[in-house]
Structures are given as C-alpha cells and as structure tokens.
Amino acid sequence: MISEIRKEILSNIEKEMIISQLTKGKRIDGRGLFDFRKINVIPAPVEKAEGSAFVSLGKTKVLVGIKVNPAMPFPDTPNEGIFVINTEFSPVASPLFELGPPSEYAIEVARVVDRIIRSSEMIKLDELVIIPGELVWMINIDIYALDDNGNLIDASLIGTLAALYVGYIPRVEVIDKDRKKIEIIKEERTPIPLKDMPISFTFAKIKDILLLDPTRIEENIMDARLTIAVNNKGEICSVQKGEGGGFKLEDIHLAKDIVIKKSNGIRKIINDQLVKKPRGKEAWNEIRRLSYGEDEES
Amino acid sequence: MTIVTKDNIILLNEKGRRSDGRKWNELRPISMVVGVLERADGSAIVETGGTKVLAAVYGPKEMYPKHLAMPDRAILRVAYRMTSFSVEERKKPHPSRREIELSKVIKEALEPAVILEEFPRTVIDVYILVLQADGGTRVASINAASLALADAGIPMKGLVTAIAVGRLGNQVIVDLNDVEDKYGNADMPIAYIPSTGEITLFQMDGTMSPDLFDKCLEVAIETLNKIHEMQKEALKRKYLKNKKD
Amino acid sequence: MPIFVKNMEIVAPGELIAQGKNYKIVEGAYRINDKVYSEFLGILYIREGSIRVVPLQGNFYMPKVGDTVIGIVIDCNPVSWTVNIRAPYLARLDASDFLGKPIDPNKDKITKYMDIGDVVMAKIAVADRVTNPQLIAHGKGLGKITHGKIIAVPPKKVPRILGKDRSMIKMIRDITKAEIRVSNNGYVWIKADNKTVEQLIILAIQRIIREAHLPGLTEKIREMLSSKLKDVES
C-alpha cells in the first residue's frame, strides 16, 4: 500500500488552496459548485456486445458492455428476467486499483448502480421471460473503468443507461417447451425493454462546502460523499452516503433540490447523444477523437 | 483455389480474396493513438480492424513487496486481460489460463526492448485490456504496450512491433482475423525489435512445410517494418502537430 | 560517417541516429557496433559529434546528488521523514539534516516541525543504485515551504523551463516581478503579488512544456507575458 499512498498524499499547500477557493465558491477547474463536467456518451462501440457505451465525464472514462444469455430464473421471481451488474476497476484506470478480486469500493459502486436501476424499475424484467418459470434472459452488465479522474459512480450509471438503451435481445424460438429446447436467432434483434432513465448526482462535502461531480483531487480531500438518484417522474429512487464524514440535514435538502432541478437537463444531454451519435464502427472515430485530446473542454 | 470452412465461410476465393475481402498480404485498417489516459504514466490504444486494445503503463516505481525487487534492475510486470464482452460468449472476469499465458509471453516479448538496468529495485507495470477481440489481440497488445512504454518516457532499445502471419492451404496470409485464426491451417504471431533485429515473441500453431515456414518469416519481417513506421509516426504525431501550428 | 536525423528533430526509441565510431553519446542513446540509436521519444541534439537525446515524455525523476528537489512528506518516524520526490524511490530526510542539530525523540516530537502533507525544499545528499536517496534541507533557500503556489511539471522539461544559462526563468522573473523557483524534480514554486500574475506565470510554464521542442520559445514567452501584463495593468 505504501507505494500507492505516496502517489495520493496531497500537499497541505494544495489542499489549503483548494479549500480557500471553494469557500469563495470557486473550483480549481473553473466550474461552479453544482456543475457537472462535460458528459460524452458514445453509443455501441463494441460490436460483439449486445449493448455497449463509452462514456467520459470530464477526464473520467468508462466502457460498459452487456452480454445476454438464457438462464434459470430466481425461484422467488420465476416470471422475471435477471440482470447482474459488475464493476471491473483494474489498474488501467488508476494506480490505486489492484489486480485481483474487486475492491470494497468497486463493489459499492456496482451495488449503487444496481439499486438505482432496480428501484427505478428501468428494465421491464417481466418482458424478459422465454419459458415462464423455466427460462429467462439474463443481462450481464460489466462496467470497466478506463481512467479514474473522479466520480466513477455517476460515470458508471451513465454508461449503464447508455449500454442498456442501445442494447438488444436476440429473437428466441421455443422448440420444445418441456425439454427447454430453444433456438436463438442472433440476427433478429429487439431492443431491451426499458421504461425509465434514472439519473444520479454524486456530491462531495469538503469542510462545510457541498459540491457536485467531484474530481479525483476533490475526492481525495472530501470528508463525505452523497449520491442521490431520481427517476423520470422526479421521484428519488436511491441514495447512498459514503466515506467517513457526515452531512447536515440542510446539506441533504440542498442536494435533493439540485437533483430535482437538474435531472431533466442531464437526462436530455444523455438522450440527445444516444439518439444522434453514430454507432458501431463509426463510434470509434469519436473515441479516437476524444482520446486524442481534441476535446479539451471538460 | 477456394477454401471453405465447415460452416460455409469462404476463407479464400478463386480470386485470392479472403473472408473480409483482403488480399493475402493486406493489413486491416490500423489506428494507433498514444497518450489516451490521464492517470497512467503512459498509454495507447491500438486498433487493427475489429480488434481494439488499450495499454497503460505505470512506473518505474518502488517495488512492493520489497523482497521481489531485483538489486540491479527493474522488474517488468505485464497483465493481459479481456473485457467480458470482447468475445462472443461472455468471458468471466477472473483471469483464464489463456490470459495468464499471454501475459507471460507478452512480457517476455517486451523485456528485451526495455532498458531495465537503469532502474534498480523498481517495477514497471504494463496493463493491457482488450476492448474488442477480432483476431490478433496478442500482437495488437504488444504494439500498444510498446507505444505506452515509450509514452511513459521509459528508455528502450527500440519499439517492439508485432504481427500474426499464417496459412490458408498453400497461401501465406498476413494479419489474421478471427475466422482465419479459428479455421486457418496455421497461425504464427511474431514480435520483432527492428533496431536490434531480435525476434522476441514467436509462437505457431497448426502445421506448415519448411518452405512455407521460411516464406512466412520473410513476409512477417517485411510487414513488421511497415507497422514499425506507423508506430513511430503515432508517437511523434502530437509533437509534429504542435510544430505545424 | 552519416547522420540520419537532423539536429533538433524528434526521434523515437530505436531510431537510427548516426553511423560511425567517432560519435560520443552524452545521454539518451546507445550503440550497437558503429550504429547509434535513440533510447527515447525525444529531441536529438548533435553538436560536434556528441549526441544527446532529451526525452519528451516521463513523469518520474531520477535523483542526482546536488539537485534541488521539492518533496511532500508522506510519513514521519521518530527521527526522520519519508519524502515523496516523484522518484521511483522514496527519499529519507533525517531530522538533524533539517534542524541542523540532532533531535531527542523522547523530548521532541518530529511532527512539530513537519507533518504528513507538508512540503519541503531540499537537496539530494546521497543517491546511488543501492540505497534510497537521502536529503538535506538545512541551509540557505532550503526548508519547509509554507506559502505560495506549487505546480507540477514533467521533470524532463525542467531544463527547458530554466532555459540556457537560466535565461528563460530569469526573463519570467524580471517581467512578472514574482518569486519563482524550479526544482529538478519538476515542481515550480511561485509567489506572485496577485492571482492574475500567478495565473499568467502558470500559463507561460504550461506553454513552455507544450512547446518545449520548438525553437525561439524564450522570445514567444516574453511577448506573451508582456502583452498580457499590459492588459492586466490597463
């Protein structure tokens, strides 16, 4: 661990500078306290996945991919499809991440994204049944962090939404119901049945200051973290508080008000890109352009 | 000569075109972008047709646990991993035997190029992530990793350049795609350091006559010199761009 | 005895620079028989048969005795600090090499002087291949840094920021009237009269980093600073 701590100890001078700027309402990257960094959504770059998205949130980058397979339903929900969310935070994305089994943090992010999708009932699970009680579609959603420059939670959720949005289920024909014999016709696709698009907002608290979408350095000095998600109808559909510090009641009210005020705008930013941007092979032109740093504004 | 697989994919038609329409020695479109990640000390994305590989480099940095460090040189560590959705069937996240073997041979392909003696008691980490697989991921990984090492400012005897050659019947082919990889008669991935003339990765599966074996090597070196030029160009691109401004 | 690359051109690792036995390699290149190759992505400097390749990339610093470094304290022991100097090795600073006198850990707590996160300006006292570097922070211009702004730059670009005979940094100091110190491990400490001037200096340094490989940089930076400073004053 020491080698990692070495990279991450911020000098007291820098810390004080960031905090003194924050008390004046200014952030080191010039954003307002409650602004998101630029969100780039590149739909469906991975052709072998049944759904995928490359997302950048400022300089944070994630790649999300979906694979779908027929599977046995859970005994308590025999007539519902299954989805599983998994995060892979490998050292590609950060010197703080390690190879091997997922860290507590990676699991927390996966579970938060899972709860947001589940609470908002985004995926119509009842439409994912192949043979009732016997066979359903299982949607595996794998979130790969590529570059961690802060707020992997919101980036991961956006990536998941986008991959689901462009994702599909192949047509399936039941040949023998009793023997569970089916034929999958890969070429014939229907979109994954969806009914909502929840949006999450992650805040950091540094001293007495609340701010949205923390960068890595802000995460480094934050005392506490709060994620609030909201669905299409404007209902709050998941909350997660993280890190060792605490929030006052008024912080929570303020955060909630911002989420309610801003969620439609963020949803539109994501939606517009999903609708307009080229998919498949052409998506890579955009990934290349982004990677090449031609999109410096963040 | 036409070569067809069991499930009717035409690997080579009578005009000498391959399953994706290429000539025998034609490369798929290659794109290389260097310095793509903020956090890593060096990074690169290499695309060869449908194969997309990301490499990140960290170091040289202090080695933990310390007893694994070498007193007179740096240690190079390589991890090659595929995303779960990079292949047709979902790949489970934990490393497969294939990924572990490839990590090892890729490390040994890169090691002769890196001047490790300059950094005693340290480690240089190379992480490779296959974002999409369509044949030739190990050679794309070597091309990407060697660019990422150069991008990290690590001294090297030269860039390592890699390509897969192989055969369909009596025809030598260059840069095998997924189908050719699976159904072709032989597959020979090779990595090479043009400056020192060393071949640092050399594998083959399938069968080959001694004559065709020689021909494959000859064609491989020719192609590698071309790809090497692309690598150099990719490294210099951002500086040359500034120069024009 | 051909030379294959022009002076000040960019070379890649393994690129053939020259052929001939009489070339002298200063740094950043190696030889196989009579051929000289680059070790880095860098800029080639050839002067009277001596070859130097200065890397364009690299975020790490290799300690050299006598270098001035800025480091961050990352650990405290009873009689010494562990300091991150952006090298592949952590450096050690003994309390006596900071205070100028030994410390009695029974009576005196070392954290009273410097704690984790504090920043120190020091010199490299010992650096070899066998042990981790040792610092000394006692003496003129050395010691704990308590104010000003510190920015990180690629250590390999430090010579360019200083300029030939420190001409670049002198010029920036003269024009902006700010205190600026550049450490060999790639930190720039700035103390300016106001935030606008500080920001201007940062912009200038960022431009030097970006255009380190281009000629005529000192003049370009001088022009940029003088014109922008006029805007500030008016």
Side-chain angles (χ1 to χ4, degrees):
Chain A
M1 272 311 279
I2 294 171
S3 66
E4 310 306 0
I5 291 167
R6 182 189 70 180
K7 281 219 165 186
E8 288 306 300
I9 288 188
L10 210 59
S11 76
N12 294 338
I13 291 186
E14 191 170 3
K15 224 186 268 184
E16 280 158 22
M17 192 271 295
I18 294 168
I19 292 167
S20 83
Q21 289 293 98
L22 280 176
T23 52
K24 293 177 201 150
K26 285 186 195 157
R27 293 168 81 168
I28 31 172
D29 57 4
R31 273 185 295 160
L33 290 177
F34 301 116
D35 292 340
F36 259 111
R37 288 168 291 175
K38 188 171 183 193
I39 301 169
N40 267 297
V41 182
I42 302 176
V46 183
E47 287 167 337
K48 291 199 176 174
E50 277 89 47
S52 65
F54 180 100
V55 165
S56 68
L57 180 54
K59 284 181 170 158
T60 293
K61 297 189 183 83
V62 300
L63 179 68
V64 180
I66 291 175
K67 295 299 283 181
V68 298
N69 288 299
M72 294 260 291
F74 290 124
D76 54 337
T77 52
N79 294 318
E80 281 186 10
I82 298 166
F83 72 92
V84 181
I85 292 180
N86 172 53
T87 42
E88 289 293 320
F89 290 178
S90 83
V92 164
S94 163
L96 295 183
F97 297 155
E98 286 171 14
L99 289 175
S103 64
E104 276 186 352
Y105 173 58
I107 289 173
E108 184 191 17
V109 174
R111 298 227 346 127
V112 171
V113 173
D114 183 289
R115 287 213 314 273
I116 295 170
I117 303 282
R118 223 170 276 282
S119 308
S120 68
E121 299 179 348
M122 178 182 186
I123 306 171
K124 294 179 185 168
L125 294 174
D126 54 339
E127 291 182 20
L128 293 175
V129 180
I130 302 169
I131 304 170
E134 302 285 350
L135 213 54
V136 298
W137 285 111
M138 175 158 94
I139 301 177
N140 274 294
I141 303 167
D142 289 306
I143 301 165
Y144 283 79
L146 302 182
D147 206 358
D148 176 17
N149 294 290
N151 196 7
L152 275 174
I153 297 182
D154 292 346
S156 294
L157 180 74
I158 296 169
T160 304
L161 302 177
L164 282 168
Y165 184 91
V166 299
Y168 64 87
I169 307 278
R171 193 162 77 83
V172 63
E173 222 157 79
V174 180
I175 293 169
D176 185 336
K177 204 171 168 178
D178 299 330
R179 291 191 191 148
K180 287 192 238 169
K181 210 175 154 199
I182 55 163
E183 197 192 330
I184 293 172
I185 302 127
K186 279 222 151 178
E187 294 70 33
E188 292 181 37
R189 306 165 165 189
T190 52
I192 295 175
L194 304 175
K195 65 175 174 196
D196 203 316
M197 189 183 270
I199 304 289
S200 69
F201 288 72
T202 295
F203 298 84
K205 192 173 178 189
I206 299 173
K207 301 280 177 204
D208 299 327
I209 302 140
L210 194 67
L211 55 91
L212 179 65
D213 181 27
T215 62
R216 177 176 62 87
I217 288 177
E218 288 163 345
E219 280 183 352
N220 187 305
I221 56 174
M222 71 183 170
D223 303 298
R225 189 193 72 217
L226 179 67
T227 302
I228 300 179
V230 58
N231 67 12
N232 273 352
K233 286 180 260 169
E235 296 166 330
I236 289 159
C237 65
S238 256
V239 170
Q240 179 90 343
K241 182 259 161 184
E243 305 304 313
F247 287 93
K248 295 219 171 90
L249 214 48
E250 55 259 36
D251 296 330
I252 293 171
H253 285 302
L254 175 58
K256 186 211 72 189
D257 289 346
I258 287 157
V259 170
I260 299 299
K261 202 174 98 192
K262 295 207 164 185
S263 68
N264 283 333
I266 299 296
R267 189 176 287 113
K268 186 168 182 314
I269 289 172
I270 298 166
N271 241 324
D272 284 354
Q273 298 186 61
L274 285 172
V275 173
K276 282 182 201 147
K277 285 196 182 167
R279 302 179 184 182
K281 283 197 180 79
E282 282 182 55
W284 287 93
N285 296 334
E286 183 125 355
I287 292 178
R288 252 171 256 143
R289 191 179 63 79
L290 261 179
S291 310
Y292 199 34
E294 284 172 13
D295 200 81
E296 278 301 313
E297 186 197 341
S298 54
Chain B
M1 177 187 54
T2 309
I3 299 171
V4 182
T5 64
K6 268 181 274 174
D7 38 2
N8 285 324
I9 300 166
I10 301 168
L11 288 178
L12 200 67
N13 69 16
E14 67 285 355
K15 287 181 183 150
R17 296 289 177 152
R18 293 152 66 180
S19 58
D20 49 11
R22 280 185 291 156
K23 286 183 270 186
W24 69 275
N25 62 348
E26 199 179 325
L27 294 168
R28 291 174 286 176
I30 296 182
S31 149
M32 304 179 179
V33 187
V34 177
V36 295
L37 300 177
E38 177 85 2
R39 286 305 303 272
D41 296 326
S43 60
I45 289 190
V46 168
E47 301 172 49
T48 313
T51 292
K52 322 275 181 185
V53 175
L54 172 67
V57 167
Y58 293 91
K61 55 182 191 175
E62 207 146 343
M63 176 82 188
Y64 292 95
K66 277 208 158 145
H67 70 268
L68 293 178
M70 304 278 278
D72 57 343
R73 45 163 272 192
I75 286 174
L76 186 70
R77 288 192 297 203
V78 174
Y80 162 99
R81 297 288 186 270
M82 303 183 91
T83 57
S84 59
F85 43 78
S86 61
V87 283
E88 289 298 337
E89 287 298 311
R90 177 174 186 266
K91 199 205 84 67
K92 295 224 168 71
H94 66 255
S96 63
R97 290 168 66 84
R98 179 182 170 277
E99 286 169 307
I100 291 167
E101 189 227 350
L102 288 193
S103 301
K104 179 174 183 289
V105 296
I106 292 169
K107 178 185 77 182
E108 290 157 355
L110 297 169
E111 243 172 353
V114 183
I115 304 175
L116 296 166
E117 300 73 30
E118 288 196 17
F119 311 107
R121 301 177 288 117
T122 65
V123 61
I124 297 167
D125 276 323
V126 180
Y127 298 108
I128 296 161
L129 191 60
V130 177
L131 308 179
Q132 180 164 281
D134 186 15
T137 62
R138 81 192 66 185
V139 292
S141 296
I142 291 170
N143 291 332
S146 106
L147 288 175
L149 284 162
D151 183 46
I154 288 166
M156 298 166 88
K157 289 196 170 146
L159 297 170
V160 190
T161 308
I163 190 68
V165 290
R167 103 178 149 92
L168 297 173
N170 289 322
Q171 180 61 58
V172 173
I173 52 165
V174 174
D175 183 22
L176 283 68
N177 64 25
D178 209 10
V179 186
E180 294 167 336
D181 201 4
K182 270 189 202 115
Y183 301 108
N185 306 93
D187 165 26
M188 183 193 277
I190 300 180
Y192 175 63
I193 308 172
S195 55
T196 64
E198 289 169 287
I199 287 173
T200 62
L201 171 109
F202 192 38
Q203 295 180 299
M204 193 194 98
D205 45 47
T207 58
M208 226 182 255
S209 72
D211 286 351
L212 220 52
F213 187 90
D214 290 351
K215 172 82 178 157
C216 268
L217 277 172
E218 186 194 318
V219 170
I221 299 292
E222 232 170 76
T223 314
L224 286 165
N225 285 325
K226 272 188 231 162
I227 298 174
H228 184 243
E229 289 305 312
M230 295 183 209
Q231 280 178 303
K232 286 202 290 194
E233 202 269 327
L235 275 177
K236 293 179 185 178
R237 196 180 303 146
K238 80 172 164 195
Y239 294 100
L240 296 178
K241 192 183 80 178
N242 278 346
K243 207 162 189 171
K244 266 186 228 146
D245 291 348
Chain C
M1 300 223 296
I3 295 173
F4 300 98
V5 191
K6 284 196 209 104
N7 188 32
M8 297 276 283
E9 289 271 290
I10 297 169
V11 287
E15 193 159 333
L16 181 59
I17 296 170
Q19 189 169 8
K21 296 234 185 284
N22 295 332
Y23 291 105
K24 184 174 164 262
I25 295 171
V26 183
E27 59 179 336
Y30 72 97
R31 197 189 296 274
I32 300 179
N33 301 322
D34 61 344
K35 288 181 177 160
V36 179
Y37 299 91
S38 173
E39 285 182 1
F40 293 101
L41 173 67
I43 309 173
L44 172 71
Y45 295 94
I46 301 186
R47 212 184 291 167
E48 291 153 13
S50 56
I51 291 173
R52 208 154 59 89
V53 177
V54 177
L56 281 162
Q57 299 286 123
N59 285 324
F60 59 90
Y61 157 74
M62 285 305 275
K64 273 211 308 271
V65 172
D67 274 3
T68 303
V69 295
I70 289 175
I72 299 171
V73 174
I74 65 146
D75 203 4
C76 303
N77 309 302
V79 293
S80 72
W81 294 276
T82 307
V83 184
N84 174 12
I85 54 167
R86 301 177 86 187
Y89 316 98
L90 293 174
R92 182 188 156 106
L93 173 60
D94 285 332
S96 54
D97 290 330
F98 175 79
L99 299 168
K101 57 175 199 281
I103 186 171
D104 180 354
N106 295 319
K107 289 184 192 148
D108 221 358
K109 264 186 97 174
I110 196 166
T111 50
K112 193 172 90 188
Y113 303 101
M114 279 203 296
D115 207 343
I116 291 174
D118 279 338
V119 180
V120 61
M121 174 94 66
K123 269 194 183 320
I124 307 271
V126 181
D128 57 43
R129 289 172 64 88
V130 190
T131 54
N132 280 17
Q134 187 93 28
L135 303 177
I136 181 158
H138 175 64
K140 191 170 171 269
L142 303 179
K144 185 171 159 179
I145 299 175
T146 52
H147 60 289
K149 166 124 186 140
I150 296 169
I151 62 164
V153 300
K156 304 272 180 338
K157 299 277 164 69
V158 166
R160 202 71 187 90
I161 295 169
L162 294 174
K164 198 186 273 177
D165 303 322
R166 308 179 78 88
S167 55
M168 179 77 87
I169 200 71
K170 263 186 203 148
M171 180 272 290
I172 300 176
R173 268 192 209 125
D174 289 348
I175 291 188
T176 61
K177 311 269 185 301
E179 280 182 62
I180 308 171
R181 291 190 69 183
V182 185
S183 73
N184 294 92
N185 65 332
Y187 285 113
V188 182
W189 176 80
I190 304 165
K191 190 175 164 271
D193 286 343
N194 60 58
K195 281 272 166 211
T196 323
V197 174
E198 182 187 287
Q199 202 50 41
L200 204 52
I201 295 168
I202 295 172
L203 283 176
I205 286 165
Q206 281 166 345
R207 179 154 175 203
I208 299 171
I209 296 165
R210 215 167 44 237
E211 300 181 6
H213 56 297
L214 303 183
L217 198 53
T218 316
E219 272 320 299
K220 281 189 217 163
I221 299 292
R222 187 202 302 278
E223 272 168 40
M224 170 191 156
L225 283 174
S226 348
S227 76
K228 291 230 168 127
L229 270 177
K230 249 183 227 150
D231 294 348
V232 175
E233 281 157 14
S234 60

